[in-house]
Amino acid sequence: MEKLNMANLRRLLTTQTDLAVTMYIPMHTSASPPHISENQIRFKNIAHKAIEELKARRNYNLADHLEAVINEHHDDLNFWKEQTPGLLVCGANEDINMYHLPINTEEYMSIDKGFHLAPLLGVISDSHQFYVLELAEHNPKLLLGDLYGLRETGIFLPASYKDAVMQQENASSFAHTSHENSPYARTTGYPSRFFKIIDKILIDKADKKLPLILAGTEKEVAEFRELSKYPNILKNSVTNGYDKSHLRDLFEKVSIIVHNEIVLPEHKSAAEEYLQLEKSAPERTASTEEEILEASKLGRIDKLFTKMSLETTDNVQDSLLPLPRITFFEPRLNSVLSQLAYNVWKMRGMVFNFMPSEMPNSEPVLAKLRY
């Protein structure tokens, strides 16, 4: 099963069909037997609801294909062991496609002329890649992060200061000074000289357009931040304890930093732009459904704002911390928003999925117009 990205979202957006099934299903990410069982039951229940409605509409082919997918995956433990916070199921033209979602979601099902994908265009617009540098005296690591998690970058850092100096010596065409070649010099360069070597590797090999988050002790983070020449180190760092054997623990901490320092400022800037135009050039804003629909058909929408996101502890992951969650309106408005989002995307506009508190006013959807 694939992760959701712009490529497969584009395929869904451009699918030609008279009838489409869209299902959003919240998932436990733990592979424990009780959680797997809950995921299976939740998937089966919402799918059967869609099957019954398809049969009522006499679309027996799609109903049969959806039922076959349920039966195929129900006892596939490998499928259920590898879940993200949400599952997207899209069915049309006898094809059933499933995608991992990187975000928690309400349980939702629609049968309409097209897929209901408006909140996912907002999720994709909030997507950012970033680096995490795990600082340590032994085995520091540079990780690459995105909406789904952290992984190795392929940029290898020296396992220790001693290894770093030895690598420098082996790569050098001239002899170092006697002090640098001494065994003492190879064991007493932590952290400052070791961090300078790591920083040089990042400057030479990393994509310096990506933001960097530091993880380590408070002293290590402060030392590296002071000497580093990397151009985009985020303000906050991970300095409290986390389980280094489980990247998910670190990912949850850095995701909060990315959200607070990158995503929220982007949202704030876009909302302030809308409010400024509302005062200075109100003809370049739209707040009623009719205005926005007409503007979308003419390709006038530069930015579409919806509030289909919520931060809540009410989630199947049993988290004590509030987590972002995709939410939905009533079916008719969801259908309208899906068409709106498609029109905006088709004309290269942006779709923002805001929390209610981020919206410039109380309307469910707003638009900033190009002209």
Side-chain angles (χ1 to χ4, degrees), residues 130-359:
F130 55 91
Y131 289 124
V132 177
L133 177 60
E134 286 192 284
L135 296 165
E137 188 170 359
H138 299 286
N139 298 315
K141 291 181 181 178
L142 182 67
L143 305 169
L144 182 65
D146 59 20
L147 282 172
Y148 285 90
L150 300 170
R151 61 186 183 276
E152 300 283 349
T153 59
I155 299 175
F156 295 104
L157 305 180
S160 66
Y161 174 65
K162 181 177 179 180
D163 286 351
V165 174
M166 291 179 68
Q167 289 174 22
Q168 282 190 332
E169 291 174 355
N170 292 336
S172 177
S173 59
F174 56 91
H176 291 264
T177 65
S178 58
H179 172 74
E180 288 175 323
N181 279 311
S182 71
Y184 178 78
R186 293 182 183 173
T187 57
T188 59
Y190 188 83
S192 59
R193 189 173 175 195
F194 188 30
F195 286 177
K196 287 179 181 178
I197 293 170
I198 291 174
D199 190 56
K200 179 66 165 55
I201 293 172
L202 265 61
I203 295 297
D204 290 344
K205 297 184 178 182
D207 180 353
K208 294 183 287 296
K209 296 189 294 294
L210 297 186
L212 175 67
I213 300 170
L214 303 179
T217 66
E218 289 187 10
K219 181 177 180 181
E220 288 168 336
V221 166
E223 181 88 21
F224 188 89
R225 193 183 293 277
E226 177 70 23
L227 61 83
S228 178
K229 296 180 180 178
Y230 193 85
N232 190 11
I233 300 178
L234 296 188
K235 178 181 177 181
N236 288 290
S237 307
V238 180
T239 55
N240 54 332
Y242 63 94
D243 188 347
K244 289 192 175 184
S245 65
H246 291 89
L247 284 182
R248 192 76 199 175
D249 188 26
L250 177 59
F251 174 67
E252 288 175 357
K253 296 179 187 300
V254 299
S255 293
I256 295 171
I257 295 173
V258 171
H259 183 73
N260 290 340
E261 294 196 36
I262 299 177
V263 176
L264 287 184
E266 288 178 346
H267 287 192
K268 183 180 179 182
S269 176
E272 288 175 348
E273 182 185 28
Y274 177 90
L275 288 171
Q276 184 177 1
L277 281 174
E278 194 176 42
K279 291 180 180 178
S280 62
E283 70 278 4
R284 289 188 54 200
T285 65
S287 59
T288 69
E289 186 179 312
E290 294 76 14
E291 288 177 325
I292 297 171
L293 271 172
E294 183 62 25
S296 75
K297 293 174 184 176
L298 297 173
R300 293 181 61 201
I301 297 180
D302 176 46
K303 294 183 176 71
L304 183 74
F305 307 101
T306 71
K307 52 178 181 182
M308 302 183 75
S309 186
L310 195 67
E311 200 166 54
T312 176
T313 56
D314 181 15
N315 52 72
V316 302
Q317 287 81 25
D318 300 323
S319 172
L320 297 177
L321 296 174
L323 297 176
R325 184 180 72 183
I326 294 171
T327 62
F328 297 90
F329 298 107
E330 48 87 15
R332 187 202 64 82
L333 184 53
N334 289 330
S335 182
V336 171
L337 285 174
S338 294
Q339 184 59 50
L340 272 173
Y342 171 73
N343 290 343
V344 172
W345 167 81
K346 189 169 59 174
M347 299 305 294
R348 300 179 181 272
M350 292 186 67
V351 178
F352 288 88
N353 187 5
F354 279 3
M355 302 282 182
S357 61
E358 295 177 299
M359 285 290 280

